[in-house]
CSV table of all heavy atoms in Angstrom, one decimal:
chain,number,residue,atom,x,y,z
A,10,MET,N,-23.8,99.3,17.1
A,10,MET,CA,-22.8,98.2,17.2
A,10,MET,C,-22.8,97.5,15.8
A,10,MET,O,-23.8,97.2,15.2
A,10,MET,CB,-23.2,97.2,18.3
A,10,MET,CG,-22.1,96.1,18.4
A,10,MET,SD,-22.5,95.0,19.8
A,10,MET,CE,-21.6,95.8,21.0
A,11,THR,N,-21.6,97.2,15.3
A,11,THR,CA,-21.5,96.6,14.0
A,11,THR,C,-21.4,95.1,14.1
A,11,THR,O,-20.9,94.6,15.1
A,11,THR,CB,-20.3,97.1,13.2
A,11,THR,OG1,-19.1,96.8,14.0
A,11,THR,CG2,-20.4,98.6,13.1
A,12,ASP,N,-21.8,94.4,13.1
A,12,ASP,CA,-21.6,92.9,13.1
A,12,ASP,C,-20.2,92.6,12.6
A,12,ASP,O,-19.7,93.2,11.7
A,12,ASP,CB,-22.7,92.3,12.2
A,12,ASP,CG,-24.1,92.4,12.7
A,12,ASP,OD1,-24.3,92.4,13.9
A,12,ASP,OD2,-25.0,92.5,11.9
A,13,SER,N,-19.6,91.6,13.3
A,13,SER,CA,-18.3,91.3,12.9
A,13,SER,C,-18.4,90.2,11.8
A,13,SER,O,-19.2,89.3,11.8
A,13,SER,CB,-17.4,90.7,14.0
A,13,SER,OG,-18.0,89.6,14.6
A,14,THR,N,-17.5,90.4,10.8
A,14,THR,CA,-17.5,89.4,9.7
A,14,THR,C,-16.7,88.2,10.1
A,14,THR,O,-15.9,88.3,11.1
A,14,THR,CB,-16.8,90.1,8.4
A,14,THR,OG1,-15.5,90.4,8.7
A,14,THR,CG2,-17.6,91.3,8.0
A,15,PRO,N,-16.8,87.1,9.4
A,15,PRO,CA,-16.0,85.9,9.7
A,15,PRO,C,-14.5,86.2,9.7
A,15,PRO,O,-13.8,85.6,10.5
A,15,PRO,CB,-16.5,84.9,8.7
A,15,PRO,CG,-17.8,85.3,8.3
A,15,PRO,CD,-17.8,86.8,8.4
A,16,ASN,N,-14.1,87.0,8.7
A,16,ASN,CA,-12.6,87.3,8.7
A,16,ASN,C,-12.1,88.0,9.9
A,16,ASN,O,-11.0,87.8,10.4
A,16,ASN,CB,-12.3,88.1,7.4
A,16,ASN,CG,-12.4,87.2,6.2
A,16,ASN,OD1,-12.3,86.0,6.2
A,16,ASN,ND2,-12.6,87.8,5.0
A,17,GLU,N,-13.0,89.0,10.4
A,17,GLU,CA,-12.6,89.7,11.6
A,17,GLU,C,-12.5,88.8,12.8
A,17,GLU,O,-11.6,88.8,13.7
A,17,GLU,CB,-13.6,90.8,11.9
A,17,GLU,CG,-13.5,92.0,10.9
A,17,GLU,CD,-14.6,93.0,11.1
A,17,GLU,OE1,-15.4,92.8,12.0
A,17,GLU,OE2,-14.5,94.0,10.4
A,18,THR,N,-13.5,87.9,12.9
A,18,THR,CA,-13.5,86.9,14.0
A,18,THR,C,-12.3,86.0,13.9
A,18,THR,O,-11.7,85.7,15.0
A,18,THR,CB,-14.8,86.0,13.9
A,18,THR,OG1,-16.0,86.9,13.9
A,18,THR,CG2,-14.9,85.1,15.1
A,19,LYS,N,-12.0,85.5,12.8
A,19,LYS,CA,-10.8,84.6,12.6
A,19,LYS,C,-9.5,85.4,13.0
A,19,LYS,O,-8.7,84.8,13.7
A,19,LYS,CB,-10.7,84.1,11.2
A,19,LYS,CG,-11.7,83.1,10.8
A,19,LYS,CD,-11.5,82.7,9.4
A,19,LYS,CE,-12.6,81.7,9.0
A,19,LYS,NZ,-12.5,81.3,7.6
A,20,TYR,N,-9.5,86.7,12.7
A,20,TYR,CA,-8.3,87.5,13.0
A,20,TYR,C,-8.2,87.6,14.5
A,20,TYR,O,-7.1,87.5,15.1
A,20,TYR,CB,-8.4,88.8,12.4
A,20,TYR,CG,-7.2,89.8,12.7
A,20,TYR,CD1,-6.0,89.6,12.2
A,20,TYR,CD2,-7.4,90.8,13.7
A,20,TYR,CE1,-4.9,90.4,12.6
A,20,TYR,CE2,-6.4,91.6,14.0
A,20,TYR,CZ,-5.1,91.4,13.5
A,20,TYR,OH,-4.1,92.2,13.8
A,21,ILE,N,-9.3,87.9,15.2
A,21,ILE,CA,-9.3,88.1,16.6
A,21,ILE,C,-8.9,86.8,17.3
A,21,ILE,O,-8.1,86.8,18.3
A,21,ILE,CB,-10.7,88.6,17.1
A,21,ILE,CG1,-10.9,90.0,16.6
A,21,ILE,CG2,-10.8,88.5,18.6
A,21,ILE,CD1,-12.3,90.5,16.8
A,22,ILE,N,-9.4,85.7,16.9
A,22,ILE,CA,-9.1,84.4,17.5
A,22,ILE,C,-7.6,84.1,17.2
A,22,ILE,O,-6.9,83.6,18.1
A,22,ILE,CB,-10.0,83.3,16.9
A,22,ILE,CG1,-11.4,83.4,17.4
A,22,ILE,CG2,-9.4,81.9,17.3
A,22,ILE,CD1,-12.4,82.5,16.7
A,23,ASP,N,-7.1,84.4,16.1
A,23,ASP,CA,-5.7,84.2,15.7
A,23,ASP,C,-4.8,85.1,16.7
A,23,ASP,O,-3.8,84.6,17.2
A,23,ASP,CB,-5.4,84.6,14.3
A,23,ASP,CG,-3.9,84.5,13.9
A,23,ASP,OD1,-3.4,83.4,14.0
A,23,ASP,OD2,-3.3,85.6,13.6
A,24,ARG,N,-5.2,86.3,16.9
A,24,ARG,CA,-4.4,87.2,17.8
A,24,ARG,C,-4.4,86.7,19.2
A,24,ARG,O,-3.4,86.7,19.9
A,24,ARG,CB,-4.9,88.6,17.7
A,24,ARG,CG,-4.7,89.3,16.4
A,24,ARG,CD,-3.2,89.5,16.1
A,24,ARG,NE,-2.6,88.4,15.4
A,24,ARG,CZ,-1.3,88.1,15.3
A,24,ARG,NH1,-0.4,88.9,15.8
A,24,ARG,NH2,-0.9,87.1,14.7
A,25,ILE,N,-5.6,86.2,19.7
A,25,ILE,CA,-5.7,85.7,21.0
A,25,ILE,C,-4.8,84.5,21.2
A,25,ILE,O,-4.1,84.4,22.2
A,25,ILE,CB,-7.2,85.4,21.4
A,25,ILE,CG1,-8.0,86.7,21.5
A,25,ILE,CG2,-7.3,84.5,22.7
A,25,ILE,CD1,-9.5,86.4,21.6
A,26,LEU,N,-4.9,83.6,20.3
A,26,LEU,CA,-4.0,82.4,20.3
A,26,LEU,C,-2.5,82.7,20.3
A,26,LEU,O,-1.7,82.2,21.0
A,26,LEU,CB,-4.4,81.4,19.2
A,26,LEU,CG,-5.7,80.7,19.4
A,26,LEU,CD1,-6.0,79.8,18.1
A,26,LEU,CD2,-5.7,79.8,20.6
A,27,HIS,N,-2.2,83.7,19.4
A,27,HIS,CA,-0.8,84.1,19.2
A,27,HIS,C,-0.3,84.7,20.6
A,27,HIS,O,0.8,84.3,21.0
A,27,HIS,CB,-0.7,85.2,18.2
A,27,HIS,CG,0.6,85.9,18.1
A,27,HIS,ND1,1.7,85.3,17.5
A,27,HIS,CD2,1.0,87.1,18.7
A,27,HIS,CE1,2.7,86.2,17.6
A,27,HIS,NE2,2.3,87.2,18.3
A,28,TRP,N,-1.0,85.6,21.2
A,28,TRP,CA,-0.5,86.2,22.4
A,28,TRP,C,-0.6,85.3,23.6
A,28,TRP,O,0.3,85.3,24.5
A,28,TRP,CB,-1.2,87.5,22.7
A,28,TRP,CG,-0.7,88.6,21.7
A,28,TRP,CD1,-1.4,89.2,20.7
A,28,TRP,CD2,0.6,89.2,21.7
A,28,TRP,NE1,-0.6,90.1,20.0
A,28,TRP,CE2,0.6,90.1,20.6
A,28,TRP,CE3,1.7,89.1,22.5
A,28,TRP,CZ2,1.7,90.9,20.3
A,28,TRP,CZ3,2.8,89.8,22.2
A,28,TRP,CH2,2.8,90.7,21.1
A,29,SER,N,-1.5,84.4,23.6
A,29,SER,CA,-1.5,83.4,24.7
A,29,SER,C,-0.3,82.5,24.6
A,29,SER,O,0.3,82.2,25.6
A,29,SER,CB,-2.8,82.6,24.6
A,29,SER,OG,-4.0,83.4,24.7
A,30,ALA,N,0.0,82.0,23.4
A,30,ALA,CA,1.1,81.2,23.2
A,30,ALA,C,2.4,81.9,23.6
A,30,ALA,O,3.3,81.4,24.2
A,30,ALA,CB,1.2,80.6,21.8
A,31,ALA,N,2.5,83.2,23.1
A,31,ALA,CA,3.7,84.0,23.4
A,31,ALA,C,3.9,84.2,24.9
A,31,ALA,O,5.0,84.0,25.4
A,31,ALA,CB,3.6,85.3,22.7
A,32,LEU,N,2.8,84.4,25.6
A,32,LEU,CA,2.9,84.6,27.1
A,32,LEU,C,3.3,83.3,27.8
A,32,LEU,O,4.0,83.3,28.7
A,32,LEU,CB,1.6,85.2,27.6
A,32,LEU,CG,1.3,86.6,27.3
A,32,LEU,CD1,-0.1,87.0,27.7
A,32,LEU,CD2,2.4,87.6,27.8
A,33,LEU,N,2.7,82.2,27.3
A,33,LEU,CA,3.0,80.9,27.9
A,33,LEU,C,4.5,80.5,27.6
A,33,LEU,O,5.2,80.1,28.6
A,33,LEU,CB,2.1,79.8,27.3
A,33,LEU,CG,2.2,78.4,27.9
A,33,LEU,CD1,2.0,78.5,29.4
A,33,LEU,CD2,1.3,77.5,27.2
A,34,MET,N,5.0,80.8,26.5
A,34,MET,CA,6.4,80.6,26.2
A,34,MET,C,7.3,81.5,27.1
A,34,MET,O,8.4,81.0,27.6
A,34,MET,CB,6.8,80.7,24.7
A,34,MET,CG,6.3,79.6,23.9
A,34,MET,SD,6.8,79.7,22.2
A,34,MET,CE,5.5,80.8,21.5
A,35,GLN,N,6.9,82.7,27.2
A,35,GLN,CA,7.7,83.6,28.1
A,35,GLN,C,7.7,83.1,29.6
A,35,GLN,O,8.7,83.1,30.2
A,35,GLN,CB,7.0,85.0,28.1
A,35,GLN,CG,7.8,86.0,28.9
A,35,GLN,CD,9.2,86.3,28.4
A,35,GLN,OE1,9.4,86.3,27.2
A,35,GLN,NE2,10.1,86.6,29.2
A,36,GLY,N,6.5,82.5,30.0
A,36,GLY,CA,6.5,81.9,31.3
A,36,GLY,C,7.4,80.7,31.4
A,36,GLY,O,8.0,80.5,32.5
A,37,MET,N,7.5,79.9,30.4
A,37,MET,CA,8.4,78.8,30.4
A,37,MET,C,9.8,79.2,30.6
A,37,MET,O,10.6,78.7,31.4
A,37,MET,CB,8.3,78.0,29.1
A,37,MET,CG,7.0,77.1,29.0
A,37,MET,SD,6.8,76.3,27.4
A,37,MET,CE,8.1,75.1,27.5
A,38,VAL,N,10.2,80.2,29.8
A,38,VAL,CA,11.6,80.7,29.9
A,38,VAL,C,11.8,81.4,31.3
A,38,VAL,O,12.9,81.2,31.9
A,38,VAL,CB,11.8,81.8,28.8
A,38,VAL,CG1,13.2,82.5,29.0
A,38,VAL,CG2,11.8,81.0,27.4
A,39,SER,N,10.9,82.1,31.8
A,39,SER,CA,11.1,82.8,33.1
A,39,SER,C,11.2,81.7,34.2
A,39,SER,O,12.1,81.9,35.1
A,39,SER,CB,9.9,83.7,33.4
A,39,SER,OG,9.8,84.7,32.4
A,40,THR,N,10.4,80.7,34.2
A,40,THR,CA,10.4,79.8,35.3
A,40,THR,C,11.7,78.9,35.2
A,40,THR,O,12.3,78.5,36.2
A,40,THR,CB,9.2,78.9,35.4
A,40,THR,OG1,9.0,78.2,34.1
A,40,THR,CG2,7.9,79.6,35.7
A,41,MET,N,12.1,78.6,33.9
A,41,MET,CA,13.3,77.9,33.8
A,41,MET,C,14.5,78.6,34.3
A,41,MET,O,15.3,78.1,35.0
A,41,MET,CB,13.5,77.6,32.3
A,41,MET,CG,14.7,76.7,32.0
A,41,MET,SD,14.9,76.3,30.2
A,41,MET,CE,15.1,78.0,29.5
A,42,ASP,N,14.6,79.9,34.0
A,42,ASP,CA,15.7,80.8,34.5
A,42,ASP,C,15.7,80.8,36.0
A,42,ASP,O,16.7,80.6,36.7
A,42,ASP,CB,15.5,82.2,33.9
A,42,ASP,CG,16.7,83.0,34.3
A,42,ASP,OD1,17.8,82.6,34.3
A,42,ASP,OD2,16.5,84.2,34.6
A,43,ALA,N,14.5,80.9,36.7
A,43,ALA,CA,14.4,81.0,38.1
A,43,ALA,C,14.8,79.7,38.7
A,43,ALA,O,15.5,79.6,39.8
A,43,ALA,CB,13.0,81.4,38.5
A,44,GLU,N,14.4,78.6,38.1
A,44,GLU,CA,14.7,77.3,38.7
A,44,GLU,C,16.2,76.9,38.5
A,44,GLU,O,16.8,76.3,39.4
A,44,GLU,CB,13.9,76.2,38.0
A,44,GLU,CG,12.4,76.2,38.4
A,44,GLU,CD,11.6,75.3,37.7
A,44,GLU,OE1,12.2,74.4,37.0
A,44,GLU,OE2,10.4,75.4,37.8
A,45,ILE,N,16.8,77.4,37.5
A,45,ILE,CA,18.2,77.1,37.3
A,45,ILE,C,19.1,77.7,38.3
A,45,ILE,O,20.0,77.1,38.9
A,45,ILE,CB,18.7,77.6,35.8
A,45,ILE,CG1,18.2,76.7,34.8
A,45,ILE,CG2,20.2,77.7,35.8
A,45,ILE,CD1,18.4,77.2,33.4
A,46,HIS,N,18.7,78.9,38.7
A,46,HIS,CA,19.5,79.7,39.7
A,46,HIS,C,19.2,79.3,41.2
A,46,HIS,O,20.0,79.5,42.1
A,46,HIS,CB,19.3,81.2,39.5
A,46,HIS,CG,19.9,81.7,38.3
A,46,HIS,ND1,21.2,81.7,38.0
A,46,HIS,CD2,19.3,82.1,37.2
A,46,HIS,CE1,21.4,82.1,36.8
A,46,HIS,NE2,20.3,82.4,36.2
A,47,SER,N,18.1,78.6,41.4
A,47,SER,CA,17.7,78.3,42.8
A,47,SER,C,17.9,76.8,43.1
A,47,SER,O,17.6,76.4,44.2
A,47,SER,CB,16.2,78.7,43.1
A,47,SER,OG,15.4,77.9,42.2
A,48,THR,N,18.4,76.0,42.1
A,48,THR,CA,18.5,74.6,42.3
A,48,THR,C,20.0,74.3,42.6
A,48,THR,O,20.9,74.7,41.9
A,48,THR,CB,18.1,73.8,41.0
A,48,THR,OG1,16.8,74.2,40.7
A,48,THR,CG2,18.2,72.3,41.2
A,49,ASP,N,20.2,73.5,43.7
A,49,ASP,CA,21.5,73.0,44.0
A,49,ASP,C,21.6,71.6,43.4
A,49,ASP,O,21.0,70.7,44.0
A,49,ASP,CB,21.7,73.0,45.5
A,49,ASP,CG,23.2,72.6,45.8
A,49,ASP,OD1,24.0,72.4,44.9
A,49,ASP,OD2,23.5,72.6,47.1
A,50,TYR,N,22.3,71.4,42.4
A,50,TYR,CA,22.4,70.1,41.7
A,50,TYR,C,23.0,69.0,42.5
A,50,TYR,O,22.8,67.9,42.4
A,50,TYR,CB,23.2,70.3,40.4
A,50,TYR,CG,22.5,71.3,39.4
A,50,TYR,CD1,23.2,72.5,39.1
A,50,TYR,CD2,21.3,71.0,38.9
A,50,TYR,CE1,22.6,73.4,38.3
A,50,TYR,CE2,20.7,72.0,38.0
A,50,TYR,CZ,21.4,73.2,37.8
A,50,TYR,OH,20.8,74.1,36.9
A,51,THR,N,23.9,69.4,43.4
A,51,THR,CA,24.6,68.4,44.3
A,51,THR,C,23.6,67.8,45.2
A,51,THR,O,23.8,66.6,45.6
A,51,THR,CB,25.8,69.1,45.0
A,51,THR,OG1,25.3,70.1,45.9
A,51,THR,CG2,26.8,69.6,44.1
A,52,ILE,N,22.6,68.5,45.7
A,52,ILE,CA,21.6,67.9,46.6
A,52,ILE,C,20.7,67.0,45.8
A,52,ILE,O,20.4,65.9,46.3
A,52,ILE,CB,20.8,69.0,47.3
A,52,ILE,CG1,21.7,69.8,48.2
A,52,ILE,CG2,19.7,68.4,48.1
A,52,ILE,CD1,21.1,71.0,48.8
A,53,LYS,N,20.1,67.5,44.7
A,53,LYS,CA,19.2,66.7,44.0
A,53,LYS,C,19.8,65.5,43.2
A,53,LYS,O,19.2,64.5,43.0
A,53,LYS,CB,18.4,67.6,43.0
A,53,LYS,CG,17.0,67.8,43.3
A,53,LYS,CD,16.4,68.6,42.2
A,53,LYS,CE,14.9,68.6,42.4
A,53,LYS,NZ,14.2,69.3,41.4
A,54,GLY,N,21.0,65.8,42.7
A,54,GLY,CA,21.6,64.8,41.8
A,54,GLY,C,21.2,65.2,40.3
A,54,GLY,O,20.2,65.7,40.0
A,55,ALA,N,22.1,64.9,39.4
A,55,ALA,CA,22.0,65.2,38.0
A,55,ALA,C,20.8,64.5,37.4
A,55,ALA,O,20.1,65.1,36.6
A,55,ALA,CB,23.3,64.9,37.3
A,56,VAL,N,20.6,63.2,37.7
A,56,VAL,CA,19.5,62.5,37.1
A,56,VAL,C,18.2,63.0,37.5
A,56,VAL,O,17.3,63.2,36.7
A,56,VAL,CB,19.7,61.0,37.4
A,56,VAL,CG1,18.5,60.2,36.8
A,56,VAL,CG2,21.0,60.4,36.8
A,57,LEU,N,18.0,63.2,38.8
A,57,LEU,CA,16.7,63.7,39.3
A,57,LEU,C,16.4,65.1,38.8
A,57,LEU,O,15.3,65.4,38.4
A,57,LEU,CB,16.7,63.6,40.8
A,57,LEU,CG,15.4,64.0,41.5
A,57,LEU,CD1,14.2,63.1,41.0
A,57,LEU,CD2,15.5,64.0,43.0
A,58,HIS,N,17.4,65.9,38.7
A,58,HIS,CA,17.2,67.3,38.2
A,58,HIS,C,16.8,67.2,36.7
A,58,HIS,O,15.9,67.9,36.3
A,58,HIS,CB,18.5,68.1,38.4
A,58,HIS,CG,18.4,69.4,37.6
A,58,HIS,ND1,17.6,70.4,38.1
A,58,HIS,CD2,18.9,69.8,36.5
A,58,HIS,CE1,17.7,71.4,37.3
A,58,HIS,NE2,18.5,71.1,36.2
A,59,LYS,N,17.5,66.3,36.0
A,59,LYS,CA,17.1,66.2,34.5
A,59,LYS,C,15.7,65.7,34.4
A,59,LYS,O,15.0,66.3,33.5
A,59,LYS,CB,18.1,65.3,33.9
A,59,LYS,CG,17.9,65.1,32.4
A,59,LYS,CD,19.0,64.2,31.8
A,59,LYS,CE,18.7,64.0,30.3
A,59,LYS,NZ,19.7,63.1,29.7
A,60,GLN,N,15.3,64.8,35.2
A,60,GLN,CA,13.9,64.3,35.1
A,60,GLN,C,12.9,65.3,35.4
A,60,GLN,O,11.9,65.5,34.8
A,60,GLN,CB,13.7,63.0,36.0
A,60,GLN,CG,12.4,62.3,35.8
A,60,GLN,CD,12.2,61.8,34.4
A,60,GLN,OE1,13.1,61.3,33.8
A,60,GLN,NE2,11.0,62.0,33.9
A,61,ASP,N,13.2,66.1,36.5
A,61,ASP,CA,12.3,67.2,36.8
A,61,ASP,C,12.2,68.2,35.7
A,61,ASP,O,11.1,68.7,35.4
A,61,ASP,CB,12.8,67.9,38.1
A,61,ASP,CG,12.5,67.1,39.4
A,61,ASP,OD1,11.7,66.2,39.3
A,61,ASP,OD2,13.1,67.5,40.4
A,62,ALA,N,13.3,68.6,35.1
A,62,ALA,CA,13.3,69.5,34.0
A,62,ALA,C,12.5,69.0,32.8
A,62,ALA,O,11.7,69.7,32.2
A,62,ALA,CB,14.7,69.8,33.5
A,63,ILE,N,12.6,67.7,32.5
A,63,ILE,CA,11.9,67.1,31.4
A,63,ILE,C,10.4,67.2,31.7
A,63,ILE,O,9.5,67.5,30.9
A,63,ILE,CB,12.3,65.7,31.2
A,63,ILE,CG1,13.7,65.6,30.6
A,63,ILE,CG2,11.3,64.9,30.3
A,63,ILE,CD1,14.4,64.3,30.5
A,64,ASN,N,10.0,66.8,33.0
A,64,ASN,CA,8.6,66.9,33.4
A,64,ASN,C,8.0,68.3,33.3
A,64,ASN,O,6.8,68.4,32.8
A,64,ASN,CB,8.4,66.3,34.8
A,64,ASN,CG,8.6,64.8,34.9
A,64,ASN,OD1,8.5,64.1,33.9
A,64,ASN,ND2,8.9,64.4,36.1
A,65,ILE,N,8.7,69.3,33.7
A,65,ILE,CA,8.2,70.6,33.7
A,65,ILE,C,8.0,71.1,32.2
A,65,ILE,O,7.0,71.6,31.9
A,65,ILE,CB,9.1,71.6,34.4
A,65,ILE,CG1,9.0,71.3,36.0
A,65,ILE,CG2,8.8,73.0,34.1
A,65,ILE,CD1,10.1,72.0,36.8
A,66,HIS,N,9.0,70.8,31.4
A,66,HIS,CA,8.9,71.3,30.0
A,66,HIS,C,7.8,70.5,29.3
A,66,HIS,O,7.1,71.0,28.4
A,66,HIS,CB,10.3,71.1,29.3
A,66,HIS,CG,11.2,72.2,29.7
A,66,HIS,ND1,12.0,72.1,30.8
A,66,HIS,CD2,11.5,73.4,29.1
A,66,HIS,CE1,12.8,73.2,30.8
A,66,HIS,NE2,12.4,74.0,29.8
A,67,LEU,N,7.6,69.2,29.6
A,67,LEU,CA,6.6,68.4,29.0
A,67,LEU,C,5.2,69.0,29.3
A,67,LEU,O,4.4,69.2,28.5
A,67,LEU,CB,6.7,67.0,29.4
A,67,LEU,CG,5.6,66.1,28.9
A,67,LEU,CD1,5.7,65.9,27.3
A,67,LEU,CD2,5.6,64.7,29.5
A,68,MET,N,5.0,69.3,30.6
A,68,MET,CA,3.7,69.9,31.0
A,68,MET,C,3.5,71.2,30.4
A,68,MET,O,2.3,71.5,29.9
A,68,MET,CB,3.7,70.0,32.6
A,68,MET,CG,3.7,68.6,33.3
A,68,MET,SD,2.5,67.5,32.7
A,68,MET,CE,1.0,68.2,33.3
A,69,MET,N,4.4,72.1,30.3
A,69,MET,CA,4.3,73.4,29.7
A,69,MET,C,4.0,73.3,28.2
A,69,MET,O,3.2,74.0,27.6
A,69,MET,CB,5.5,74.3,30.0
A,69,MET,CG,5.7,74.6,31.5
A,69,MET,SD,4.3,75.7,32.1
A,69,MET,CE,5.1,77.2,31.8
A,70,GLY,N,4.7,72.4,27.6
A,70,GLY,CA,4.5,72.1,26.1
A,70,GLY,C,3.2,71.6,25.8
A,70,GLY,O,2.5,72.0,24.9
A,71,LEU,N,2.7,70.7,26.7
A,71,LEU,CA,1.3,70.1,26.5
A,71,LEU,C,0.3,71.2,26.7
A,71,LEU,O,-0.7,71.2,26.0
A,71,LEU,CB,1.1,68.9,27.4
A,71,LEU,CG,1.8,67.7,27.1
A,71,LEU,CD1,1.6,66.6,28.2
A,71,LEU,CD2,1.3,67.1,25.7
A,72,GLY,N,0.5,72.1,27.7
A,72,GLY,CA,-0.4,73.2,27.9
A,72,GLY,C,-0.4,74.1,26.7
A,72,GLY,O,-1.5,74.6,26.2
A,73,LEU,N,0.7,74.4,26.1
A,73,LEU,CA,0.8,75.2,24.9
A,73,LEU,C,0.1,74.5,23.7
A,73,LEU,O,-0.7,75.1,23.0
A,73,LEU,CB,2.2,75.5,24.5
A,73,LEU,CG,2.5,76.3,23.3
A,73,LEU,CD1,1.9,77.7,23.4
A,73,LEU,CD2,4.0,76.4,23.0
A,74,LEU,N,0.3,73.2,23.5
A,74,LEU,CA,-0.4,72.5,22.5
A,74,LEU,C,-1.9,72.5,22.6
A,74,LEU,O,-2.6,72.7,21.7
A,74,LEU,CB,0.2,71.1,22.4
A,74,LEU,CG,-0.3,70.2,21.3
A,74,LEU,CD1,0.1,70.7,19.9
A,74,LEU,CD2,0.2,68.7,21.5
A,75,THR,N,-2.3,72.3,23.9
A,75,THR,CA,-3.8,72.3,24.2
A,75,THR,C,-4.4,73.7,23.8
A,75,THR,O,-5.4,73.8,23.3
A,75,THR,CB,-4.0,72.0,25.6
A,75,THR,OG1,-3.4,70.7,25.9
A,75,THR,CG2,-5.5,72.0,26.0
A,76,LEU,N,-3.6,74.7,24.2
A,76,LEU,CA,-4.1,76.1,23.9
A,76,LEU,C,-4.2,76.3,22.4
A,76,LEU,O,-5.2,76.9,21.9
A,76,LEU,CB,-3.1,77.1,24.5
A,76,LEU,CG,-3.5,78.6,24.3
A,76,LEU,CD1,-4.8,78.8,25.1
A,76,LEU,CD2,-2.4,79.4,24.9
A,77,ILE,N,-3.2,75.8,21.6
A,77,ILE,CA,-3.2,76.0,20.2
A,77,ILE,C,-4.3,75.2,19.5
A,77,ILE,O,-5.0,75.7,18.6
A,77,ILE,CB,-1.9,75.7,19.6
A,77,ILE,CG1,-0.8,76.7,20.0
A,77,ILE,CG2,-1.9,75.6,18.1
A,77,ILE,CD1,0.6,76.4,19.7
A,78,ILE,N,-4.6,74.0,19.9
A,78,ILE,CA,-5.6,73.2,19.3
A,78,ILE,C,-6.9,73.6,19.8
A,78,ILE,O,-7.8,73.8,19.1
A,78,ILE,CB,-5.4,71.7,19.7
A,78,ILE,CG1,-4.1,71.2,19.1
A,78,ILE,CG2,-6.6,70.8,19.3
A,78,ILE,CD1,-3.7,69.8,19.5
């Protein structure tokens, strides 16, 4: 077994963060698409729907930021 150099370790961490962030963003887009098609805006109301969308995107964005930091 070979010892990994600091540059190799940094590269591996960079790739893990990159693909984790990419998958999280893909998840955000996928859930947003599914929610758009399954939501009846007339039942919820425009204001409540907008607030729900803001909350979901905020939580996903904070998750992404936490993952990156």
Side-chain angles (χ1 to χ4, degrees):
M10 182 176 270
T11 62
D12 293 329
S13 62
T14 64
N16 286 338
E17 289 174 358
T18 305
K19 288 179 184 179
Y20 177 77
I21 291 170
I22 292 171
D23 177 63
R24 293 293 88 201
I25 290 171
L26 289 174
H27 169 82
W28 285 109
S29 299
L32 291 172
L33 187 57
M34 285 187 273
Q35 183 66 33
M37 286 174 69
V38 171
S39 296
T40 57
M41 181 177 64
D42 184 39
E44 289 175 10
I45 287 172
H46 293 292
S47 66
T48 303
D49 185 3
Y50 302 112
T51 59
I52 293 172
K53 250 187 166 179
V56 175
L57 184 57
H58 171 74
K59 183 177 180 179
Q60 187 61 42
D61 285 347
I63 290 169
N64 287 340
I65 289 170
H66 284 86
L67 177 67
M68 295 306 293
M69 295 293 268
L71 288 174
L73 179 61
L74 184 64
T75 303
L76 181 65
I77 291 172
I78 293 174

